[in-house]
Amino acid sequence: SQCAGGIVGWVNGSSKIEKCTNDGVKVITESDSGNTEAGGIVGYINGSSGQTTTITWCTNYADVRNDSYSAGVTSAGGIVGRHNDLNHTNISLCKNFGSVYCGTYVYNPNDRTKNLKSASKPRAGGIIGSHNKGTITKSFNYGDVTSGIAYNIVNRYGYYSTDTYGSDIYKEYGA
């Protein structure tokens, strides 16, 4: 995996990330091979069965961009880009204000055109780009989300997803 995060690129094992703020360091990753992840706070969370990563009271103000067009998974999230299938990731009381973009188009500033760029599994979410196990509660996205598969709060992928979502998850317009 190639990953980029506004605070940390890669987290391994059970971890707690609390009260972190990315005040505007733009997070960009680009690759043409393997899995790539970009997150406003954490790029990628890796772990084993039974391990839990908790992210609380974190805020991202930066834009997050994943321009990868590889055959692997490409993810971008306002707080977390992606976590693996075994680790539980619990996110609470987090906010994203930056825009999130994942690899479907590339903008050419010279002629102001958008050109299609192929990505096998582009996933973008205002809070997390790809989420399989864990909870997301009282977390808010205020930024735009653009991708082939885009959701305001979370982009879920996987036939065995065990996500739970509280009623306090929203996309609110106008910050």
Side-chain angles (χ1 to χ4, degrees):
S1 266
Q2 298 179 39
C3 44
I7 303 297
V8 64
W10 178 293
V11 171
N12 196 32
S14 292
S15 303
K16 285 187 179 183
I17 300 167
E18 298 176 331
K19 300 178 183 175
C20 292
T21 300
N22 180 356
D23 278 328
V25 176
K26 193 172 194 176
V27 180
I28 302 171
T29 185
E30 182 170 348
S31 175
D32 60 2
S33 65
N35 296 337
T36 59
E37 298 85 16
I41 302 296
V42 178
Y44 179 68
I45 299 170
N46 185 48
S48 300
S49 182
Q51 293 181 322
T52 300
T53 298
T54 303
I55 301 172
T56 309
W57 289 105
C58 291
T59 304
N60 176 52
Y61 292 99
D63 293 339
V64 177
R65 188 171 183 92
N66 187 341
D67 283 324
S68 300
Y69 45 96
S70 69
V73 176
T74 57
S75 302
I79 302 298
V80 175
R82 179 172 78 98
H83 76 90
N84 74 1
D85 301 342
L86 301 174
N87 180 283
H88 280 74
T89 298
N90 300 320
I91 300 171
S92 64
L93 304 166
C94 292
K95 294 180 183 179
N96 175 54
F97 293 92
S99 65
V100 178
Y101 171 87
C102 190
T104 49
Y105 293 94
V106 63
Y107 178 72
N108 184 340
N110 297 327
D111 61 7
R112 296 182 181 188
T113 60
K114 283 186 175 181
N115 300 306
L116 257 163
K117 198 175 195 183
S118 66
S120 66
K121 301 171 187 170
R123 303 174 192 143
I127 299 300
I128 188 168
S130 184
H131 183 62
N132 287 304
K133 295 179 182 178
T135 61
I136 298 171
T137 55
K138 297 184 180 178
S139 294
F140 300 87
N141 176 49
Y142 298 93
D144 293 328
V145 179
T146 307
S147 179
I149 306 170
Y151 295 91
N152 289 326
I153 298 303
V154 63
N155 181 349
R156 295 184 303 163
Y157 180 78
Y159 60 90
Y160 55 88
S161 178
T162 57
D163 298 328
T164 59
Y165 304 100
S167 60
D168 297 329
I169 302 175
Y170 307 103
K171 158 85 180 195
E172 294 184 0
Y173 294 93

